[in-house]
Amino acid sequence: MNRCVLAFVILAFSTSAFAQQAAPPAPQPEPAQEAAETPAPEEPGEPEAEEPAEPPAAPAIPGWPESQIFAGFKPGPAQFRIDFGAQRLTIDTESSKFDEYRDVPDGALLSFFGLSSVADQGRYVITGEDVGQRDVRYTIEAERGDFGINVVYDQIPHRFGNDARTLLQQTSRGRFEISDTLQRSFQTSIEQQRAISPAGVNFTFLRNLVSPSLDAANTIDIGLERKRGLLELSYGPGELWDWGGSEVPGAGPSLGSAYGVKVSYFQENRVGDRQAGTSFGFGNVVETPEPIDYVTRDVGISAELPLRTAVVRAGVSYNDFTNKIPGLLFDNPFRVTDATDANAYQSPGSSSILGSSRGQVALPPSNRAITGTVGLLMKLPASSRLNADVALSQWSQNETLLPYTVNTAITSPLNASDPAALPVSSFDGKITTLTGGLSFASRPFPKLGINARYRVYDMDNKSERVELPGYVRFDAVWEDIPRISVPYEYGTQRGDLAVTYDFGPVTLEGGYRHDVTNRTFRETEETTENALRLAADFRPRPWVAVRTSYERGSRDFDHYDAERAEHASFLDPGPAVNLPLLRRYDQAAKDLDRISALVQLTPFDGNLGVTLHLLQSTDDYDDESDFGLLESVSRSWTVEADYAPADRWSVYAFYSNESYDTFQRGRQSGATPSTNPLDDWTAKIQDDVGSLGVGGSYAISERTDLKFFSRYQRVDGNNDLDSPPGGTPDVAFDIASFDDTTLWTSSAELEYRLTDVWHLSVGGWIEDYQARDAQTTGIGNYMPGGFFLAPNDADYRGNVLYVRASYRR
Amino acid sequence: MRRIMLPIYALIVLSLALPVSIGKPVQAQTSPAPPPAATSSVAAASPVDFFACENCHEKSIAGFGHTKHKSVPKNCAQCHSGDLTQHAETADPTLVTTPREMSAKEANGTCLTCHENGQRAHWLGSIHDRRNVKCTDCHSVHDFKSTRSQLTKVRAAETCFSCHPAVRAQGLRASHHPVREGKMDCGSCHNPHGSPTPKLIRASSVNELCYTCHTEKRGPFLWEHAPVRESCMNCHQAHGSNHDKLLVAKQPYLCQRCHLNTRHPGSLYDLRNTVPGPNASNRSVEHGCRNCHQNVHGTNHPSGPYLGR
């Protein structure tokens, strides 16, 4: 603490001395994309003064083919634009990664239309993007007088994998079956093998058993689609969210918009499926496509009332989430009849070949939330503001519970497949959140700024605790272990104080943050985090901007009780099974450091822009934790430059380098927690990332423009594992292919302005993606321990060529 | 919980008890400062006809002619202080200020005269305000490129990446939110104008923000997963990750940062347990722990205390 204060004082005096030597306050630099004003003419009143040069076209953001094509649509009076054309796509694989969130059609396309009209009486803007595609988006924004309407419809595909292979077939929503004939043949074969040799029921045997059927199985594509619609109606003398401004006589400009009310309705239908790790036990994972059929609706009303020296805000919203499929029922390939024994959760193997013929997992329950908010902004003397916000939200769900199991063979100590055996038929879940915030910002003197904030967030879980006499493990065997549900709660309090002072071109900030988190049923009841912050903003010249900040802090807890958390869900807790010296990183004591620096240079009247950015964040748990996450360090630096010396051409380039390093320690245990240090293991995980991008635009002639960009990113992940010899595991083998990827995209477009209203473009882009990971690459449909869908979401190379006509009026 | 409730009650009472009007109208302190190199005869800006400015600045006026800024009461003088009348006669650029010549506080004060409401209610004292970010760093009155919000770039994300390039690089990762596909942008989760929630989040907490799109995770559930209930960021990196499902680390290693129980949770899984390894294990390949514990966010199943049902 003392060293930080001393550092701040030294920094303040040294920059103060620097500021006194610096030039007087000078005009601030504009962003690089805006050109400078040209000198005024000598003759007053002469109309031929040069207009400021047309700012060079902003370079397209690297890596966004869509941004390259879509050059923006600015609303204007009676403005119309339509882009249409044809596109040819060639791709070497059916990887879902290529079109994970987008649709890239092969054929005709209507990529954009826009229609706008702006007049004194009102305005409207209507746009459509990617019309007719699965990622289509429409917007309508209109105002007339005091009324406004905003409509958005958006479709978002999300593809998880293509050509997944499974023995399961969906016979109805939420029901996946294998033919009884196939199940019977598998079960019979396993019974016969076990009768010969229990040890013979192993991976090789099972793979040979299922492979012919798997090879002949149909393939499916896994993905979902979100269809989202938003309707907002507003009423008020000014646009609620933008501008208002009727003058208050004698008091100068108004303080904001006049009153406004907004009513909104949002609905999202999400349909499809995704991979679900359903399992019948340790050796029998049966990955199944989880069906998704969700509807989310949100209705809200909000209002804002500006007063003479204050603004009052209030709002309420009701959100309803409905899942039309409460449970996922899936067949066990290896069982056609229900059975159970004490080892059925390890089936099929030498210890058991029994278990359930089906499994059932609960899918997310339907739930509701209602939220109310009130806010007050008060404008006080000396450029001061006081903000107070309160929000109250209640979440609830009361869905009917599934039975303990679908295994009809489990009839002791209770008929576990009968819902009547449950102590309650539904779960009356309720959570209330209460948020309160108070912030004060002031500039009592022109150079001095004071900011103070206090915020509380309380999540109160009011769900009744449900006691259960036991449970069924993997639908295989009854576990006679009484359990009780745990309604976790937590609350946070945060205080933040910052003081800024302007030393001419230098602004210094000193700040302090204090966070307290209280928890129930966790290892800690209270953790406290304190951090000091220093920041400096230098503008020694109009074309130089430097922003730096440094934060140092620590978190500590009152008392760490590992057993309390572990025993919270047991009615009759036994000995703890988690490592007692483990400290969970979301609560563990740690030291933290954050440093960031940003340098932006815009010399030559802003025609050249250079950005340097550095970021480092360290969380060090090592002093207090022996196991778990011990250290996490992330570093990144970026160099970026854009040059637009004339209207005709501009170029840009960037390079980012990032590294993410974590270190964790574990200990391997048998039936009881090990106390032998030789059983330790460590994982040093590193992700190194390099990203490079170049691009630009060039006006070949008065009517012809060329645009291009290229982007490349490479991620190299590594997991260095170690274990001392002599214990268990004894040795450890590193994993070098640890989510390694490369992504390369290049794009070029030639645009010719045929007339003032017709533009013709021809272009193309190429994208190449490669992924290597020892845990996922090359996975088969049947691996040791289970069935996997193994969809194709990996390497691809796609090429797109297009011609496009654009009519703009 | 009682220690948290008392400050909350105090906050509620305080906010309701404060008068809504204190002191004199405050418009004077939000007025833009006079130009730094002003002549002795600089006067407070008075309304000036657009036609007078349009003679020399036709393109600038055309650039915002179809926006509401054209209808401000004092025309150009609403935002540009100085002696505009004299400037129109003499074309002396030193008689008029533009935001680029002002400090961030002065320039932003001009905009906040009308725009300190709605989403900008928490601007003063926010991190961008304290870092001297100007409204004109992101927005343009005369020469905007976007369809909405009058941004200097075509898409909102491009605006943010100019100062947050690390986030751009993260967004290029294999597992990412659909920002680069144009389906989301930074404003979907953050309010760059200020927010009472840390990191400028547009909700009361990180989880409540995530639930707006991932509503199926809201619950509550019969069996909860405590760190999940507290913060999605305990396991996920929302800006992008090379690991599946935006996770900060791969399974099982992520889970083993908290679960070193006896038997399989605390066991080491190394190269031997991966796909090409001699002892490939369903606790390592594909989804790791989630191959069996799939309801990691919580479950309503009575047999789900280990989140496997």
Side-chain angles (χ1 to χ4, degrees), chain A residues 28 30 40 44 51 55 64 73-74 77 97 101 118 135 141 143 150 154-155 226 228 242 251 253-254 257 270 276-277 279 282 287 304 308-309 313 319 360 362 367 378 380 385-387 389 397 401-402 404 433-437 443 451 453-458 471-472 474-475 485 490 507 509 519 522 526 537 547 577-578 582 584-585 640 658 660 662 664 668-670 681 687 713 731 733 739 741 773-775 784-785, chain B residues 1 3 7-8 11 18-21 25 27 29 56-59 66 68 89 91 100 102 105 113 115-118 120-122 124-125 130-132 134 143-144 147-148 158 168-169 172-174 176 180 183 195-197 204-205 208 213 216 218-222 226 230 234 242-243 250-251 253 256-258 260-263 266 268 270-272 274-275 280 282-287 291-292 294-295 300-303 306 309:
Chain A
Q28 298 295 318
E30 274 292 9
E51 269 295 320
W64 267 253
F73 179 69
K74 288 170 56 174
K97 207 66 180 168
Y101 287 117
V118 178
D135 54 356
E141 194 181 341
E143 292 169 25
N150 180 37
D154 202 2
Q155 284 185 191
R226 292 177 185 251
R228 325 182 92 197
D242 204 356
S254 73
S257 70
R270 199 181 342 168
S279 172
F282 290 169
E287 194 178 21
E304 187 171 272
R308 192 171 181 83
T309 54
R313 306 178 297 275
N319 184 286
Q360 185 172 51
N367 61 68
M378 291 188 58
L380 305 174
R385 299 288 185 271
L386 183 69
N387 248 311
D389 295 88
Q397 69 100 338
L401 294 179
L402 298 171
Y404 289 107
T433 70
L434 181 62
T435 312
R443 291 192 75 82
N451 297 280
R453 292 173 176 241
Y454 178 71
R455 191 168 182 281
V456 296
Y457 181 87
D458 181 47
Y471 62 95
V472 176
F474 293 122
D475 283 297
S485 63
Y490 80 96
T507 300
E509 175 182 300
R519 303 175 174 90
R522 300 282 324 265
E526 181 174 291
D537 185 35
R547 294 192 180 111
V577 295
N578 207 348
L582 167 71
R584 290 180 161 165
Y585 66 91
E640 188 170 341
E658 304 161 84
Y660 299 90
T662 61
Q664 67 187 86
Q668 190 158 320
S669 301
W681 55 267
D687 286 336
Q713 182 179 81
V731 294
F733 292 85
D739 280 337
T741 60
D773 176 58
Q775 289 172 261
Chain B
M1 289 301 126
R3 277 181 289 180
I8 292 175
L11 205 61
L18 282 172
V20 295
S21 177
Q27 106 285 357
Q29 64 232 22
C56 301
H57 301 288
E58 183 181 354
K59 276 189 182 175
H66 311 305
K68 289 197 168 185
E89 292 174 6
R100 79 181 71 170
M102 299 176 181
K105 299 288 185 286
T113 304
H115 293 293
E116 191 179 9
N117 60 340
R120 295 150 300 270
H122 292 91
L124 282 173
R130 301 201 320 260
R131 293 293 175 267
N132 291 324
K134 285 187 189 177
D143 185 37
F144 55 93
T147 303
R148 292 188 173 206
E158 301 174 53
R168 173 183 58 201
L172 298 175
R173 302 272 202 285
H176 60 278
R180 56 177 146 116
K183 292 300 181 180
S195 166
T197 309
S204 296
S205 70
E208 291 192 38
C213 290
E216 73 277 14
R218 182 168 60 202
F221 301 102
L222 175 65
E230 197 170 310
N234 278 330
N242 242 50
H243 309 302
K250 277 178 75 70
Q251 298 166 85
Y253 312 98
Q256 290 178 313
R257 292 176 178 180
C258 292
L260 291 173
N261 300 32
T262 55
R263 304 187 193 278
L268 170 68
D270 64 8
L271 185 66
R272 294 170 290 182
T274 60
V275 172
N282 59 13
R283 287 142 190 179
S284 174
V285 303
E286 198 65 323
H287 307 296
N291 286 330
C292 294
Q294 75 132 7
N295 275 331
N300 239 33
H301 199 294
S303 295
Y306 293 109
R309 271 301 180 265

Side-chain angles (χ1 to χ4, degrees), chain A residues 469-513:
Chain A
Y471 62 95
V472 176
R473 197 199 295 213
F474 293 122
D475 283 297
V477 59
W478 174 261
E479 298 286 352
D480 206 18
I481 304 171
R483 304 297 293 260
I484 182 170
S485 63
V486 184
Y488 293 107
E489 297 179 318
Y490 80 96
T492 62
Q493 295 181 69
R494 168 180 275 230
D496 194 294
L497 175 67
V499 176
T500 61
Y501 195 84
D502 294 329
F503 294 93
V506 179
T507 300
L508 289 181
E509 175 182 300
Y512 171 70
R513 172 171 62 84

Side-chain angles (χ1 to χ4, degrees), chain A residues 709-781:
Chain A
F709 82 82
S710 188
R711 168 204 73 197
Y712 177 80
Q713 182 179 81
R714 180 171 179 269
V715 182
D716 180 17
N718 286 287
N719 189 353
D720 292 337
L721 296 154
D722 279 300
S723 181
T728 309
D730 186 48
V731 294
F733 292 85
D734 299 340
I735 303 175
S737 287
F738 203 66
D739 280 337
D740 299 343
T741 60
T742 60
L743 176 65
W744 165 56
T745 309
S746 287
S747 159
E749 178 180 287
L750 199 63
E751 181 181 341
Y752 178 68
R753 288 184 288 283
L754 193 64
T755 66
D756 284 345
V757 298
W758 281 102
H759 297 224
L760 296 176
S761 302
V762 59
W765 50 278
I766 181 170
E767 193 163 280
D768 186 286
Y769 172 76
Q770 307 222 352
R772 294 290 177 271
D773 176 58
Q775 289 172 261
T776 57
T777 302
I779 192 166
N781 291 116

